[in-house]
């Protein structure tokens, strides 16, 4: 996935546990783990704002874009529901 989540970096900088962060943000540790491990498909702005408030950081400290590996373009388009016209080269 081209969006990388760096919550673990901020947790280490703040010397905070996943359980403490989840408690202070108001989400379950399991849901925080899904987000932290990059398995989430979406994040609510209210959750992102709460994470930033508790960790005293900016959204860009928690999320960053990374380019897809070569050959992942078709997979990404398929997962997003996008389709290419027949005969179109992959993007």
């Amino acid at each position: 996935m081209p969006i990388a989540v760096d919550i673990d970096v901020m947790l280490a900088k703040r010397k905070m546990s996943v359980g403490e962060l989840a408690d202070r943000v108001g989400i379950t540790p399991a849901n925080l783990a899904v987000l932290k491990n990059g398995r989430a498909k979406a994040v609510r702005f209210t959750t992102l704002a709460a994470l930033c408030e508790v960790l005293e950081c900016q959204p860009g400290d928690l999320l960053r874009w990374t380019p897809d590996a070569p050959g992942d373009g078709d997979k990404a388009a398929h997962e997003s529901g996008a389709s290419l016209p027949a005969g179109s080269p992959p993007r």
Side-chain angles (χ1 to χ4, degrees), residues 25-69:
V25 169
I27 62 176
T28 66
N31 283 340
L32 181 56
V34 167
L35 180 59
K36 184 175 88 65
N37 295 325
R39 294 188 317 261
K41 298 292 182 190
V43 61
R44 291 179 186 208
F45 280 177
T46 54
T47 302
L48 183 58
L51 287 166
C52 290
E53 181 178 354
V54 170
L55 294 170
E56 298 178 352
C57 66
Q58 294 295 312
D61 296 326
L62 301 176
L63 304 172
R64 64 186 158 82
W65 177 81
T66 58
D68 281 334

Side-chain angles (χ1 to χ4, degrees), residues 74 76-84 91:
D74 292 339
H78 175 66
E79 288 177 353
S80 71
S83 61
L84 297 173
R91 295 181 239 173

